[in-house]
Amino acid sequence: MTSGAQPDAIELAVESLESPALTKAQLADLLFEHIGLNKRESKDMVDAFFDLIVQSLVDGRDVKLSGFGNFQIRTKAPRPGRNPRTGEAIPIDARRVVTFHASTKLKEQVQTPPKA
């Protein structure tokens, strides 16, 4: 279990991960194993979840996931830049970027050392 406050949380052993990053395929496998959805439904659910987040951000809407954090769209103004190799001044265009701010709950869980 990841914390004493969440007895129903899915336990994820780091040793079971094939890579240091958690992938969409691994999320789908966890849904298959712990929820009982078939593999196709699990993959579709994970894809739909991320597609919804992406589309909300593309549309300019922030995404707030309670207990996890917020994804926000930020518009950066155009600014002068410099080519580091030549030192030549170049303009950097205005653009939109996604920022993530972890919730206090997530920050606290990350700060707590893992139990052996």
Side-chain angles (χ1 to χ4, degrees):
M1 225 174 312
T2 55
S3 75
Q6 296 176 329
D8 296 330
I10 296 174
E11 191 170 328
L12 180 63
V14 175
E15 299 82 35
S16 70
L17 296 177
E18 297 166 2
S19 69
L22 180 61
T23 66
K24 286 170 50 173
Q26 290 168 331
L27 287 172
D29 285 344
L30 288 168
L31 284 175
F32 168 73
E33 293 169 10
H34 294 279
I35 307 291
L37 299 174
N38 70 41
K39 290 215 179 218
R40 183 74 203 165
E41 290 172 330
S42 298
K43 181 188 177 307
D44 290 346
M45 183 174 284
V46 170
D47 287 341
F49 175 76
F50 286 106
D51 288 346
L52 183 60
I53 290 174
V54 168
Q55 191 57 53
S56 294
L57 293 168
V58 167
D59 292 343
R61 296 189 314 257
D62 294 345
V63 176
K64 298 175 187 255
L65 301 173
S66 179
F68 185 71
N70 299 326
F71 294 92
Q72 297 173 314
I73 294 292
R74 184 172 150 221
T75 303
K76 296 183 93 174
R79 59 189 172 89
R82 183 179 313 276
N83 181 331
R85 185 172 296 170
T86 64
E88 174 188 3
I90 56 171
I92 298 175
D93 294 333
R95 63 193 191 280
R96 293 187 334 163
V97 296
V98 177
T99 60
F100 175 75
H101 297 280
S103 72
T104 304
K105 190 175 188 178
L106 176 60
K107 288 178 186 177
E108 288 170 357
Q109 288 178 347
V110 168
Q111 292 299 319
T112 303
K115 296 176 184 166

